Amino acid sequence: MTVDGPCTRPSEFSEITADEASRIVIQAPAKHCALDPAPTWLIKHLLPLLANTLANIRNSTFQEGLFPDILKQAVVRPRLKNPGLNTNDPSSYRPISNLCFVSKVVVERAVVARLTAHTELQRLFPCCQSAYIRKQHSTETADVVHDEIVKSVGSGDVCALLLLDLGAAFATVDHHTLLQVLASRFGLADRALHWCESYLSL
């Protein structure tokens, strides 16, 4: 990410090289959506020819500060929440959105990598927060913390553990509030913030 001055406010996402594009595609699962013009296995097979094009697509969205509407299209399918639920009750299902490969993998993962690097470099997450793609802060780490709390309580000490499930955050968090937090707490500005706003808009 590009940083403006000593206050470290990222104003734009740094460009992506063909090598980074290749690494992201190689590491992606071999899944594809009905909206994809070609299956993922074929994209991986032709990666030496496509890497520059994929990088240019992502860099164009970053330079414009816009997430293209065409990449927001999805195939939405209902999926049963639990096997034992009534299959005739619409509330037993949750919508699953299948995005095209370029959107889900090529663009989103590049942004996640840049936002994660920024938040870790600036230490913007609480040191004890676990999960949510944080290195050395997995859910397994959270279980270890829980075990330590159980031991402390057993010894007569007073402890507290705060657990927050953000599994449905995208659908439940107010996007305007989220953008305010990205600007005020995480320091995003200009094209970087505009890109996030465009990504969240319908």
Side-chain angles (χ1 to χ4, degrees):
M1 299 180 78
T2 300
V3 172
D4 288 341
C7 59
T8 62
R9 287 181 61 83
S11 60
E12 61 185 23
F13 295 117
S14 58
E15 290 193 351
I16 301 164
T17 65
D19 287 341
E20 184 182 355
S22 296
R23 287 196 302 272
I24 292 176
V25 172
I26 290 171
Q27 293 170 1
K31 299 178 181 178
H32 62 272
C33 170
L35 297 173
D36 287 316
T40 302
W41 66 263
L42 183 58
I43 293 176
K44 290 188 175 189
H45 182 71
L46 298 175
L47 196 52
L49 300 174
L50 297 176
N52 277 318
T53 300
L54 295 174
N56 288 336
I57 291 173
R58 287 183 292 182
N59 289 334
S60 295
T61 72
F62 293 170
Q63 291 163 3
E64 295 294 327
L66 294 172
F67 188 76
D69 288 340
I70 192 170
L71 295 183
K72 298 179 184 178
Q73 296 178 4
V75 175
V76 182
R77 293 188 173 91
R79 178 171 293 179
L80 199 62
K81 295 177 182 177
N82 291 303
L85 294 177
N86 181 3
T87 57
N88 295 319
D89 184 359
S91 65
S92 299
Y93 296 86
R94 65 170 176 265
I96 301 297
S97 298
N98 293 322
L99 296 164
C100 69
F101 182 80
V102 171
S103 172
K104 188 69 177 177
V105 174
V106 180
V107 177
E108 288 186 14
R109 291 196 180 187
V111 173
V112 168
R114 280 148 180 75
L115 286 175
T116 301
H118 168 65
T119 54
E120 293 293 347
L121 179 63
Q122 301 300 323
R123 299 180 180 178
L124 297 172
F125 285 132
C127 62
C128 294
Q129 178 180 322
S130 294
Y132 310 115
I133 68 171
R134 297 193 68 196
K135 290 183 179 179
Q136 299 179 344
H137 288 76
S138 65
T139 51
E140 182 177 329
T141 305
D143 287 338
V144 172
V145 172
H146 176 265
D147 184 58
E148 291 298 320
I149 288 179
V150 170
K151 291 178 181 177
S152 296
V153 171
S155 300
D157 296 329
V158 177
C159 295
L161 174 64
L162 175 65
L163 298 175
L164 180 63
D165 183 3
L166 296 178
F170 191 88
T172 57
V173 172
D174 181 78
H175 290 173
H176 179 68
T177 302
L178 176 58
L179 289 168
Q180 287 182 327
V181 172
L182 287 173
S184 61
R185 173 170 170 73
F186 290 85
L188 266 65
D190 301 331
R191 277 187 289 189
L193 185 61
H194 292 157
W195 189 95
C196 293
E197 184 178 6
S198 175
Y199 175 81
L200 293 170
S201 65
L202 297 176

